[in-house]
Amino acid sequence: MTSVIGHVYSIDFTAQYQNWDTTDPATLFHADTVKAEANPKARVCSHLQREAKGCDYLVLWLDCDREGENICFEVMENTVKYMRP
């Protein structure tokens, strides 16, 4: 049993869209994004992957809202492929 500390990943626009003074907001609908570990020092991704290695089942209990659902998918991305078949 383990837990996460909020989002596993953060998502941001690429460098060319970082200056809000020169970026047309309409371009952001089609802009590229970068996904990275939200808190690299905490090493949540590697922790989840290690914990999943000995597991047969994954039970998630997060907030019942869109943000909680997103966190569930982030956890699944780091656990399901490492679990026992």
Side-chain angles (χ1 to χ4, degrees):
M1 183 183 324
T2 191
S3 64
V4 294
I5 49 176
H7 282 279
V8 177
Y9 294 109
S10 64
I11 190 166
D12 207 349
F13 294 107
T14 56
Q16 75 185 79
Y17 299 104
Q18 291 297 314
N19 186 338
W20 297 113
D21 295 327
T22 61
T23 301
D24 176 8
T27 63
L28 299 177
F29 287 101
H30 303 288
D32 291 329
T33 55
V34 178
K35 185 168 144 180
E37 193 167 355
N39 187 352
K41 290 182 181 181
R43 294 187 239 160
V44 174
C45 291
S46 60
H47 171 72
L48 290 172
Q49 293 163 10
R50 275 193 317 275
E51 289 293 314
K53 286 184 180 177
C55 294
D56 295 313
Y57 299 97
L58 177 64
V59 178
L60 299 170
W61 192 282
L62 288 109
D63 292 347
C64 189
D65 57 18
R66 289 182 180 168
E67 189 171 17
E69 181 180 12
N70 182 261
I71 294 171
C72 284
F73 281 105
E74 292 174 350
V75 170
M76 289 171 60
E77 185 176 329
N78 282 281
T79 54
V80 172
K81 62 185 170 191
Y82 298 94
M83 294 171 61
R84 291 186 230 180

